[in-house]
Amino acid sequence: HLRFLVIDEADRLVNQSYHNWIGRVVGAANEASIAAWTDLQRQQEEDSNTAEGKHSVIAPPVEVSSRGNSFKIDPITWRRGGASGDSSEFNTNNAFSSVVATVCRPVQLRKLLYSATLTRDPQKLASLGLINAKHFDAHQLNSANHASEQGRQQRYSMPSGLSEYTVECTAEQKPLVLLALLLDQISKQTSSEEEDGNGIIVVFTSSLDSTHRLARLLQLLWSALGHGPSEAVAEFSSALTQKQRSSLMKQCNSPDSIVSVIVCSDGMSRGMDIPSVSAVINYDVPSFAKTYVHRCGRTARAGRKGSAISVLKGGQVTQFNRMRRLIDHPNRVVADMGIRKDLVRHAVPAYRASVKVLRKVIQAESNNDLNTVEPIPANWISASSA
């Protein structure tokens, strides 16, 4: 029988029912076969005919299912006991001590919910069916001055190993600024003596279409500029099937992975489980603090260090600062970190050629001449480097 129910990204269940998933799981946990109930009743009758069995076993309130082949016990689940006289935690009730291998005392199902942005609104949490709920904040548990944390407990928190930066540029400069940031991060990983995984960089965009177009552009640029094969840049979005996404995650977690950059949409960010992400780049700035927290949560995990870089256009600085103030320690963001222009000084011709090839790629995908998840043909890539 189910004893512990562990739910990650629990805030999603607050906002979406997912076909009453929590209700179905709890219902199944509290359901037992009609045969077990019959065994218990027969045991009671046998015990009542013995001198030692004059005690009574209290029958729990039950509801027989409409199918007639099972019954439900709510809100607890009943466990099977061991041999007669068993004093284990599952058979400590004296009234049940003589019941052999049948239903024993009730044990309440325990739910453990995990999320970086879980609400504490009682009305929203009611849908999860919590009983005597307790809230634990990992940042408060690790804080030396817990009292000072109480005043900030309504804010979101960030990993202690995370470094945050912003870069300002124009809309036209963004692709080359992104390329410079990627090359800079990779060069730092290469020169660093610390080995912390394969150092994958995750780039977030605001839409599925932006994710795909940016991934294709980076694939063309990556190969055209001689930084590696186009497969070093991968797309992780709902355009991929579940099997393809699982295969990509397995590849990224492999020591022999060639993937250096993943372009990801917000809708798929929580399905990404790569412990070795070294940096997150917000190519499109999120509008909500909750989204920013979950994006940054892809790096600096489990005590590791990581970086979060947000690429801002001129009019987005005020918006970003307002959003960041909703999260703990807003002053630790390093404004306008600057970029290494020398890394992309000679990339402008290749960038312009890649943009032209990108139009050809998108058109071929629209005409079903090229699958959206297939590698770009080699002759097209060579055209972008011409």
Side-chain angles (χ1 to χ4, degrees), residues 29-56:
N30 294 331
E31 187 170 298
S33 67
I34 204 70
W37 181 246
T38 304
D39 288 344
L40 178 59
Q41 289 182 319
R42 182 173 63 251
Q43 186 68 52
Q44 288 179 280
E45 294 175 358
E46 293 176 357
D47 289 347
S48 64
N49 296 326
T50 65
E52 298 82 3
K54 293 183 180 180
H55 62 269
S56 61

PDB file of all heavy atoms in Angstrom, residues 29-56:
ATOM      1  N   ALA A  29      -5.064   4.779  -3.320  1.00  0.00           N
ATOM      2  CA  ALA A  29      -4.315   4.403  -2.120  1.00  0.00           C
ATOM      3  C   ALA A  29      -5.242   3.937  -1.011  1.00  0.00           C
ATOM      4  O   ALA A  29      -4.850   3.142  -0.149  1.00  0.00           O
ATOM      5  CB  ALA A  29      -3.482   5.585  -1.629  1.00  0.00           C
ATOM      6  N   ASN A  30      -6.468   4.412  -1.004  1.00  0.00           N
ATOM      7  CA  ASN A  30      -7.425   4.072   0.049  1.00  0.00           C
ATOM      8  C   ASN A  30      -8.369   2.963  -0.375  1.00  0.00           C
ATOM      9  O   ASN A  30      -9.417   2.770   0.233  1.00  0.00           O
ATOM     10  CB  ASN A  30      -8.245   5.310   0.429  1.00  0.00           C
ATOM     11  CG  ASN A  30      -7.388   6.375   1.061  1.00  0.00           C
ATOM     12  OD1 ASN A  30      -6.398   6.058   1.692  1.00  0.00           O
ATOM     13  ND2 ASN A  30      -7.761   7.629   0.885  1.00  0.00           N
ATOM     14  N   GLU A  31      -8.033   2.254  -1.410  1.00  0.00           N
ATOM     15  CA  GLU A  31      -8.909   1.205  -1.911  1.00  0.00           C
ATOM     16  C   GLU A  31      -8.282  -0.167  -1.672  1.00  0.00           C
ATOM     17  O   GLU A  31      -7.087  -0.361  -1.882  1.00  0.00           O
ATOM     18  CB  GLU A  31      -9.153   1.425  -3.407  1.00  0.00           C
ATOM     19  CG  GLU A  31     -10.193   0.487  -3.996  1.00  0.00           C
ATOM     20  CD  GLU A  31     -10.561   0.906  -5.411  1.00  0.00           C
ATOM     21  OE1 GLU A  31     -11.080   2.016  -5.573  1.00  0.00           O
ATOM     22  OE2 GLU A  31     -10.322   0.101  -6.331  1.00  0.00           O
ATOM     23  N   ALA A  32      -9.051  -1.090  -1.201  1.00  0.00           N
ATOM     24  CA  ALA A  32      -8.565  -2.450  -0.966  1.00  0.00           C
ATOM     25  C   ALA A  32      -9.528  -3.448  -1.601  1.00  0.00           C
ATOM     26  O   ALA A  32     -10.671  -3.130  -1.913  1.00  0.00           O
ATOM     27  CB  ALA A  32      -8.454  -2.725   0.532  1.00  0.00           C
ATOM     28  N   SER A  33      -9.075  -4.670  -1.781  1.00  0.00           N
ATOM     29  CA  SER A  33      -9.916  -5.669  -2.422  1.00  0.00           C
ATOM     30  C   SER A  33     -11.019  -6.139  -1.475  1.00  0.00           C
ATOM     31  O   SER A  33     -10.868  -6.146  -0.258  1.00  0.00           O
ATOM     32  CB  SER A  33      -9.071  -6.874  -2.851  1.00  0.00           C
ATOM     33  OG  SER A  33      -8.589  -7.541  -1.703  1.00  0.00           O
ATOM     34  N   ILE A  34     -12.133  -6.525  -2.017  1.00  0.00           N
ATOM     35  CA  ILE A  34     -13.261  -7.015  -1.220  1.00  0.00           C
ATOM     36  C   ILE A  34     -12.889  -8.314  -0.514  1.00  0.00           C
ATOM     37  O   ILE A  34     -13.427  -8.648   0.545  1.00  0.00           O
ATOM     38  CB  ILE A  34     -14.508  -7.196  -2.118  1.00  0.00           C
ATOM     39  CG1 ILE A  34     -15.782  -7.129  -1.284  1.00  0.00           C
ATOM     40  CG2 ILE A  34     -14.420  -8.469  -2.914  1.00  0.00           C
ATOM     41  CD1 ILE A  34     -16.090  -5.760  -0.735  1.00  0.00           C
ATOM     42  N   ALA A  35     -11.919  -9.050  -1.089  1.00  0.00           N
ATOM     43  CA  ALA A  35     -11.487 -10.307  -0.473  1.00  0.00           C
ATOM     44  C   ALA A  35     -10.826 -10.056   0.872  1.00  0.00           C
ATOM     45  O   ALA A  35     -11.028 -10.810   1.842  1.00  0.00           O
ATOM     46  CB  ALA A  35     -10.536 -11.044  -1.398  1.00  0.00           C
ATOM     47  N   ALA A  36     -10.028  -8.978   0.987  1.00  0.00           N
ATOM     48  CA  ALA A  36      -9.375  -8.661   2.249  1.00  0.00           C
ATOM     49  C   ALA A  36     -10.400  -8.333   3.315  1.00  0.00           C
ATOM     50  O   ALA A  36     -10.259  -8.713   4.479  1.00  0.00           O
ATOM     51  CB  ALA A  36      -8.410  -7.499   2.056  1.00  0.00           C
ATOM     52  N   TRP A  37     -11.435  -7.631   2.925  1.00  0.00           N
ATOM     53  CA  TRP A  37     -12.497  -7.294   3.885  1.00  0.00           C
ATOM     54  C   TRP A  37     -13.236  -8.555   4.340  1.00  0.00           C
ATOM     55  O   TRP A  37     -13.578  -8.710   5.505  1.00  0.00           O
ATOM     56  CB  TRP A  37     -13.451  -6.302   3.231  1.00  0.00           C
ATOM     57  CG  TRP A  37     -14.579  -5.859   4.112  1.00  0.00           C
ATOM     58  CD1 TRP A  37     -15.905  -6.106   3.961  1.00  0.00           C
ATOM     59  CD2 TRP A  37     -14.466  -5.096   5.316  1.00  0.00           C
ATOM     60  NE1 TRP A  37     -16.621  -5.547   4.972  1.00  0.00           N
ATOM     61  CE2 TRP A  37     -15.762  -4.911   5.824  1.00  0.00           C
ATOM     62  CE3 TRP A  37     -13.387  -4.549   6.011  1.00  0.00           C
ATOM     63  CZ2 TRP A  37     -16.013  -4.219   6.997  1.00  0.00           C
ATOM     64  CZ3 TRP A  37     -13.647  -3.855   7.171  1.00  0.00           C
ATOM     65  CH2 TRP A  37     -14.935  -3.691   7.641  1.00  0.00           C
ATOM     66  N   THR A  38     -13.451  -9.489   3.416  1.00  0.00           N
ATOM     67  CA  THR A  38     -14.120 -10.742   3.756  1.00  0.00           C
ATOM     68  C   THR A  38     -13.266 -11.565   4.713  1.00  0.00           C
ATOM     69  O   THR A  38     -13.773 -12.170   5.666  1.00  0.00           O
ATOM     70  CB  THR A  38     -14.408 -11.554   2.479  1.00  0.00           C
ATOM     71  OG1 THR A  38     -15.180 -10.754   1.579  1.00  0.00           O
ATOM     72  CG2 THR A  38     -15.163 -12.829   2.811  1.00  0.00           C
ATOM     73  N   ASP A  39     -11.952 -11.573   4.489  1.00  0.00           N
ATOM     74  CA  ASP A  39     -11.037 -12.299   5.371  1.00  0.00           C
ATOM     75  C   ASP A  39     -11.108 -11.756   6.792  1.00  0.00           C
ATOM     76  O   ASP A  39     -11.095 -12.511   7.768  1.00  0.00           O
ATOM     77  CB  ASP A  39      -9.603 -12.195   4.856  1.00  0.00           C
ATOM     78  CG  ASP A  39      -9.387 -13.019   3.604  1.00  0.00           C
ATOM     79  OD1 ASP A  39     -10.238 -13.886   3.319  1.00  0.00           O
ATOM     80  OD2 ASP A  39      -8.375 -12.771   2.912  1.00  0.00           O
ATOM     81  N   LEU A  40     -11.161 -10.416   6.908  1.00  0.00           N
ATOM     82  CA  LEU A  40     -11.225  -9.809   8.222  1.00  0.00           C
ATOM     83  C   LEU A  40     -12.519 -10.181   8.939  1.00  0.00           C
ATOM     84  O   LEU A  40     -12.517 -10.512  10.131  1.00  0.00           O
ATOM     85  CB  LEU A  40     -11.106  -8.280   8.103  1.00  0.00           C
ATOM     86  CG  LEU A  40     -11.205  -7.498   9.416  1.00  0.00           C
ATOM     87  CD1 LEU A  40     -10.113  -7.938  10.387  1.00  0.00           C
ATOM     88  CD2 LEU A  40     -11.120  -5.998   9.158  1.00  0.00           C
ATOM     89  N   GLN A  41     -13.625 -10.155   8.231  1.00  0.00           N
ATOM     90  CA  GLN A  41     -14.911 -10.514   8.841  1.00  0.00           C
ATOM     91  C   GLN A  41     -14.913 -11.973   9.289  1.00  0.00           C
ATOM     92  O   GLN A  41     -15.427 -12.309  10.370  1.00  0.00           O
ATOM     93  CB  GLN A  41     -16.042 -10.264   7.841  1.00  0.00           C
ATOM     94  CG  GLN A  41     -16.319  -8.787   7.592  1.00  0.00           C
ATOM     95  CD  GLN A  41     -17.467  -8.580   6.629  1.00  0.00           C
ATOM     96  OE1 GLN A  41     -17.582  -9.286   5.627  1.00  0.00           O
ATOM     97  NE2 GLN A  41     -18.318  -7.613   6.940  1.00  0.00           N
ATOM     98  N   ARG A  42     -14.345 -12.875   8.473  1.00  0.00           N
ATOM     99  CA  ARG A  42     -14.295 -14.294   8.836  1.00  0.00           C
ATOM    100  C   ARG A  42     -13.420 -14.505  10.065  1.00  0.00           C
ATOM    101  O   ARG A  42     -13.751 -15.288  10.957  1.00  0.00           O
ATOM    102  CB  ARG A  42     -13.765 -15.112   7.660  1.00  0.00           C
ATOM    103  CG  ARG A  42     -13.738 -16.606   7.945  1.00  0.00           C
ATOM    104  CD  ARG A  42     -13.367 -17.423   6.720  1.00  0.00           C
ATOM    105  NE  ARG A  42     -12.020 -17.110   6.270  1.00  0.00           N
ATOM    106  CZ  ARG A  42     -11.758 -16.433   5.161  1.00  0.00           C
ATOM    107  NH1 ARG A  42     -12.751 -15.986   4.406  1.00  0.00           N
ATOM    108  NH2 ARG A  42     -10.508 -16.187   4.815  1.00  0.00           N
ATOM    109  N   GLN A  43     -12.300 -13.768  10.155  1.00  0.00           N
ATOM    110  CA  GLN A  43     -11.412 -13.872  11.303  1.00  0.00           C
ATOM    111  C   GLN A  43     -12.126 -13.411  12.575  1.00  0.00           C
ATOM    112  O   GLN A  43     -11.966 -13.997  13.646  1.00  0.00           O
ATOM    113  CB  GLN A  43     -10.148 -13.051  11.077  1.00  0.00           C
ATOM    114  CG  GLN A  43      -9.094 -13.199  12.157  1.00  0.00           C
ATOM    115  CD  GLN A  43      -8.480 -14.586  12.164  1.00  0.00           C
ATOM    116  OE1 GLN A  43      -8.018 -15.062  11.131  1.00  0.00           O
ATOM    117  NE2 GLN A  43      -8.500 -15.253  13.301  1.00  0.00           N
ATOM    118  N   GLN A  44     -12.922 -12.349  12.439  1.00  0.00           N
ATOM    119  CA  GLN A  44     -13.679 -11.859  13.589  1.00  0.00           C
ATOM    120  C   GLN A  44     -14.658 -12.921  14.099  1.00  0.00           C
ATOM    121  O   GLN A  44     -14.800 -13.118  15.306  1.00  0.00           O
ATOM    122  CB  GLN A  44     -14.443 -10.589  13.216  1.00  0.00           C
ATOM    123  CG  GLN A  44     -13.572  -9.361  13.035  1.00  0.00           C
ATOM    124  CD  GLN A  44     -14.393  -8.155  12.636  1.00  0.00           C
ATOM    125  OE1 GLN A  44     -14.751  -7.991  11.482  1.00  0.00           O
ATOM    126  NE2 GLN A  44     -14.698  -7.328  13.604  1.00  0.00           N
ATOM    127  N   GLU A  45     -15.311 -13.575  13.185  1.00  0.00           N
ATOM    128  CA  GLU A  45     -16.274 -14.599  13.577  1.00  0.00           C
ATOM    129  C   GLU A  45     -15.580 -15.765  14.271  1.00  0.00           C
ATOM    130  O   GLU A  45     -16.082 -16.307  15.260  1.00  0.00           O
ATOM    131  CB  GLU A  45     -17.036 -15.087  12.349  1.00  0.00           C
ATOM    132  CG  GLU A  45     -17.930 -14.013  11.731  1.00  0.00           C
ATOM    133  CD  GLU A  45     -18.570 -14.487  10.438  1.00  0.00           C
ATOM    134  OE1 GLU A  45     -18.267 -15.638  10.022  1.00  0.00           O
ATOM    135  OE2 GLU A  45     -19.349 -13.730   9.851  1.00  0.00           O
ATOM    136  N   GLU A  46     -14.408 -16.175  13.758  1.00  0.00           N
ATOM    137  CA  GLU A  46     -13.675 -17.280  14.372  1.00  0.00           C
ATOM    138  C   GLU A  46     -13.191 -16.904  15.760  1.00  0.00           C
ATOM    139  O   GLU A  46     -13.250 -17.702  16.693  1.00  0.00           O
ATOM    140  CB  GLU A  46     -12.487 -17.661  13.489  1.00  0.00           C
ATOM    141  CG  GLU A  46     -12.888 -18.272  12.150  1.00  0.00           C
ATOM    142  CD  GLU A  46     -11.697 -18.549  11.267  1.00  0.00           C
ATOM    143  OE1 GLU A  46     -10.557 -18.209  11.699  1.00  0.00           O
ATOM    144  OE2 GLU A  46     -11.873 -19.081  10.149  1.00  0.00           O
ATOM    145  N   ASP A  47     -12.692 -15.661  15.911  1.00  0.00           N
ATOM    146  CA  ASP A  47     -12.192 -15.231  17.207  1.00  0.00           C
ATOM    147  C   ASP A  47     -13.306 -15.134  18.246  1.00  0.00           C
ATOM    148  O   ASP A  47     -13.087 -15.333  19.442  1.00  0.00           O
ATOM    149  CB  ASP A  47     -11.491 -13.876  17.091  1.00  0.00           C
ATOM    150  CG  ASP A  47     -10.165 -13.992  16.353  1.00  0.00           C
ATOM    151  OD1 ASP A  47      -9.707 -15.146  16.181  1.00  0.00           O
ATOM    152  OD2 ASP A  47      -9.609 -12.957  15.948  1.00  0.00           O
ATOM    153  N   SER A  48     -14.497 -14.781  17.799  1.00  0.00           N
ATOM    154  CA  SER A  48     -15.600 -14.621  18.744  1.00  0.00           C
ATOM    155  C   SER A  48     -16.030 -15.947  19.356  1.00  0.00           C
ATOM    156  O   SER A  48     -16.688 -15.978  20.390  1.00  0.00           O
ATOM    157  CB  SER A  48     -16.797 -13.974  18.038  1.00  0.00           C
ATOM    158  OG  SER A  48     -17.284 -14.842  17.022  1.00  0.00           O
ATOM    159  N   ASN A  49     -15.639 -17.072  18.746  1.00  0.00           N
ATOM    160  CA  ASN A  49     -15.997 -18.393  19.261  1.00  0.00           C
ATOM    161  C   ASN A  49     -14.953 -18.961  20.212  1.00  0.00           C
ATOM    162  O   ASN A  49     -15.095 -20.072  20.704  1.00  0.00           O
ATOM    163  CB  ASN A  49     -16.191 -19.368  18.096  1.00  0.00           C
ATOM    164  CG  ASN A  49     -17.353 -18.967  17.208  1.00  0.00           C
ATOM    165  OD1 ASN A  49     -18.348 -18.425  17.697  1.00  0.00           O
ATOM    166  ND2 ASN A  49     -17.236 -19.240  15.903  1.00  0.00           N
ATOM    167  N   THR A  50     -13.882 -18.218  20.443  1.00  0.00           N
ATOM    168  CA  THR A  50     -12.841 -18.669  21.354  1.00  0.00           C
ATOM    169  C   THR A  50     -12.888 -17.868  22.636  1.00  0.00           C
ATOM    170  O   THR A  50     -13.402 -16.748  22.674  1.00  0.00           O
ATOM    171  CB  THR A  50     -11.446 -18.522  20.717  1.00  0.00           C
ATOM    172  OG1 THR A  50     -11.189 -17.144  20.508  1.00  0.00           O
ATOM    173  CG2 THR A  50     -11.374 -19.254  19.377  1.00  0.00           C
ATOM    174  N   ALA A  51     -12.314 -18.455  23.688  1.00  0.00           N
ATOM    175  CA  ALA A  51     -12.328 -17.768  24.992  1.00  0.00           C
ATOM    176  C   ALA A  51     -11.501 -16.506  24.941  1.00  0.00           C
ATOM    177  O   ALA A  51     -11.796 -15.518  25.608  1.00  0.00           O
ATOM    178  CB  ALA A  51     -11.792 -18.705  26.075  1.00  0.00           C
ATOM    179  N   GLU A  52     -10.401 -16.586  24.159  1.00  0.00           N
ATOM    180  CA  GLU A  52      -9.526 -15.425  24.083  1.00  0.00           C
ATOM    181  C   GLU A  52     -10.034 -14.387  23.106  1.00  0.00           C
ATOM    182  O   GLU A  52      -9.530 -13.279  23.069  1.00  0.00           O
ATOM    183  CB  GLU A  52      -8.108 -15.852  23.661  1.00  0.00           C
ATOM    184  CG  GLU A  52      -7.413 -16.786  24.624  1.00  0.00           C
ATOM    185  CD  GLU A  52      -7.849 -18.236  24.425  1.00  0.00           C
ATOM    186  OE1 GLU A  52      -8.652 -18.480  23.491  1.00  0.00           O
ATOM    187  OE2 GLU A  52      -7.402 -19.104  25.193  1.00  0.00           O
ATOM    188  N   GLY A  53     -11.010 -14.737  22.314  1.00  0.00           N
ATOM    189  CA  GLY A  53     -11.416 -13.841  21.235  1.00  0.00           C
ATOM    190  C   GLY A  53     -12.700 -13.112  21.497  1.00  0.00           C
ATOM    191  O   GLY A  53     -13.475 -12.875  20.577  1.00  0.00           O
ATOM    192  N   LYS A  54     -12.986 -12.802  22.754  1.00  0.00           N
ATOM    193  CA  LYS A  54     -14.231 -12.108  23.069  1.00  0.00           C
ATOM    194  C   LYS A  54     -14.127 -10.600  22.851  1.00  0.00           C
ATOM    195  O   LYS A  54     -15.078  -9.881  23.079  1.00  0.00           O
ATOM    196  CB  LYS A  54     -14.631 -12.409  24.510  1.00  0.00           C
ATOM    197  CG  LYS A  54     -15.010 -13.873  24.699  1.00  0.00           C
ATOM    198  CD  LYS A  54     -15.467 -14.143  26.118  1.00  0.00           C
ATOM    199  CE  LYS A  54     -15.848 -15.617  26.288  1.00  0.00           C
ATOM    200  NZ  LYS A  54     -16.293 -15.912  27.656  1.00  0.00           N
ATOM    201  N   HIS A  55     -12.924 -10.160  22.492  1.00  0.00           N
ATOM    202  CA  HIS A  55     -12.808  -8.734  22.188  1.00  0.00           C
ATOM    203  C   HIS A  55     -13.458  -8.474  20.830  1.00  0.00           C
ATOM    204  O   HIS A  55     -13.713  -9.397  20.060  1.00  0.00           O
ATOM    205  CB  HIS A  55     -11.339  -8.300  22.149  1.00  0.00           C
ATOM    206  CG  HIS A  55     -10.547  -8.995  21.089  1.00  0.00           C
ATOM    207  ND1 HIS A  55      -9.873 -10.165  21.342  1.00  0.00           N
ATOM    208  CD2 HIS A  55     -10.349  -8.691  19.793  1.00  0.00           C
ATOM    209  CE1 HIS A  55      -9.269 -10.557  20.240  1.00  0.00           C
ATOM    210  NE2 HIS A  55      -9.546  -9.670  19.277  1.00  0.00           N
ATOM    211  N   SER A  56     -13.721  -7.270  20.529  1.00  0.00           N
ATOM    212  CA  SER A  56     -14.353  -6.920  19.251  1.00  0.00           C
ATOM    213  C   SER A  56     -13.395  -6.082  18.423  1.00  0.00           C
ATOM    214  O   SER A  56     -12.667  -5.257  18.952  1.00  0.00           O
ATOM    215  CB  SER A  56     -15.644  -6.136  19.482  1.00  0.00           C
ATOM    216  OG  SER A  56     -15.367  -4.940  20.170  1.00  0.00           O
TER     217      SER A  56
END
